[in-house]
Amino acid sequence: MAEASYVYHDRFLDEMKMNAALRDRRIFISEEVDRESMFKACYLLDRLVELDKQDDKKKDIEIILDSYGGYIYHGLALISKIISLREMGYKIITTVNSVAMSMGFMILLCGSERRGLKHSRIMCHQPSSASWGTLQDMEESVEETQALWDRMKELIIKYTNITNNQLEDIKSRKYDWFMWSEEALKLGVIDYII
């Protein structure tokens, strides 16, 4: 019989996050970027937009990141929502508390104002794929992963000073590009160190 694993669910932390979102307009992403965490973040953004309709005023929203990343497809849902809100006239502030890596990095980039703490650690890398099965399955996975990398590169180049050559260097040498806030500031990944 397999042993059941138990993950402690901290209701106090959940309540803190909900209060921060609805009272202070600060959405915390401190877990893996996955379907559930991105659904919650998008839901909270939609709630704030609904609350703003009552006042007929678009107030700033802050997204605070402490994320090592996760799934690209689910992260793109939040990125799409952020871009949509920016186009509606919202100021979306993305702030790195400790880490914004992988998809956390991508979410950080889409804020209209991007900030990091002095000792924040930020990391960019190419997408990975765990493809198994037939040769056809693996070829399709490679094509899809390349398409995702192309989409990620478009966003990175649009919102930062990072060049296509720098991104292709990451791909060809297969490495994770770690940076402190000072380097991120020089590269246009963040706008301010706080």
Side-chain angles (χ1 to χ4, degrees), residues 158-182:
K158 178 177 181 176
Y159 292 119
T160 72
N161 301 327
I162 297 172
T163 66
N164 187 60
N165 288 341
Q166 288 170 306
L167 293 171
E168 285 304 311
D169 188 45
I170 291 173
K171 182 180 171 189
S172 65
R173 294 196 295 147
K174 302 174 190 154
Y175 75 97
D176 296 335
W177 185 357
F178 288 92
M179 57 190 85
W180 294 107
S181 293
E182 294 84 2

Side-chain angles (χ1 to χ4, degrees), residues 17-70:
K17 285 182 173 183
M18 185 62 75
N19 285 337
L22 298 177
R23 182 190 61 225
D24 304 327
R25 304 178 69 80
R26 302 171 94 196
I27 297 171
F28 286 86
I29 298 175
S30 58
E31 58 271 319
E32 179 179 44
V33 173
D34 62 13
R35 178 180 291 144
E36 184 177 325
S37 64
M38 295 301 95
F39 176 81
K40 287 177 185 176
C42 289
Y43 170 79
L44 290 170
L45 287 169
D46 286 341
R47 287 282 311 269
L48 292 173
V49 169
E50 286 301 313
L51 290 172
D52 287 351
K53 287 179 181 176
Q54 297 171 7
D55 299 338
D56 199 28
K57 186 176 180 184
K58 294 177 177 137
K59 301 173 195 162
D60 297 353
I61 300 169
E62 184 175 13
I63 297 173
I64 300 175
L65 295 159
D66 283 302
S67 177
Y68 291 96

Side-chain angles (χ1 to χ4, degrees), residues 72-73 127-130 140-150:
I72 297 172
Y73 297 117
S128 61
S129 172
E140 288 173 5
S141 180
V142 167
E143 287 176 20
E144 178 61 9
T145 304
Q146 182 61 53
L148 289 170
W149 177 235
D150 291 342

Side-chain angles (χ1 to χ4, degrees), residues 37-173:
S37 64
M38 295 301 95
F39 176 81
K40 287 177 185 176
C42 289
Y43 170 79
L44 290 170
L45 287 169
D46 286 341
R47 287 282 311 269
L48 292 173
V49 169
E50 286 301 313
L51 290 172
D52 287 351
K53 287 179 181 176
Q54 297 171 7
D55 299 338
D56 199 28
K57 186 176 180 184
K58 294 177 177 137
K59 301 173 195 162
D60 297 353
I61 300 169
E62 184 175 13
I63 297 173
I64 300 175
L65 295 159
D66 283 302
S67 177
Y68 291 96
Y71 296 93
I72 297 172
Y73 297 117
H74 304 304
L76 286 173
L78 180 57
I79 287 169
S80 298
K81 177 70 73 177
I82 291 169
I83 292 169
S84 173
L85 291 175
R86 287 182 61 180
E87 290 170 354
M88 290 170 54
Y90 277 92
K91 180 178 181 181
I92 307 293
I93 302 160
T94 51
T95 303
V96 186
N97 263 355
S98 58
V99 294
M101 299 184 178
S102 193
M103 271 318 285
F105 169 83
M106 295 302 299
I107 293 167
L108 167 67
L109 297 184
C110 295
S112 40
E113 180 180 306
R114 303 174 308 243
R115 309 180 310 184
L117 298 178
K118 179 161 181 60
H119 300 293
S120 297
R121 199 67 163 146
I122 300 165
M123 187 267 287
C124 172
H125 64 181
Q126 64 181 318
S128 61
S129 172
S131 174
W132 304 101
T134 66
L135 179 59
Q136 181 64 36
D137 293 336
M138 289 185 275
E139 288 173 351
E140 288 173 5
S141 180
V142 167
E143 287 176 20
E144 178 61 9
T145 304
Q146 182 61 53
L148 289 170
W149 177 235
D150 291 342
R151 180 61 53 104
M152 291 169 62
K153 284 192 327 181
E154 285 175 23
L155 290 168
I156 294 167
I157 291 167
K158 178 177 181 176
Y159 292 119
T160 72
N161 301 327
I162 297 172
T163 66
N164 187 60
N165 288 341
Q166 288 170 306
L167 293 171
E168 285 304 311
D169 188 45
I170 291 173
K171 182 180 171 189
S172 65
R173 294 196 295 147

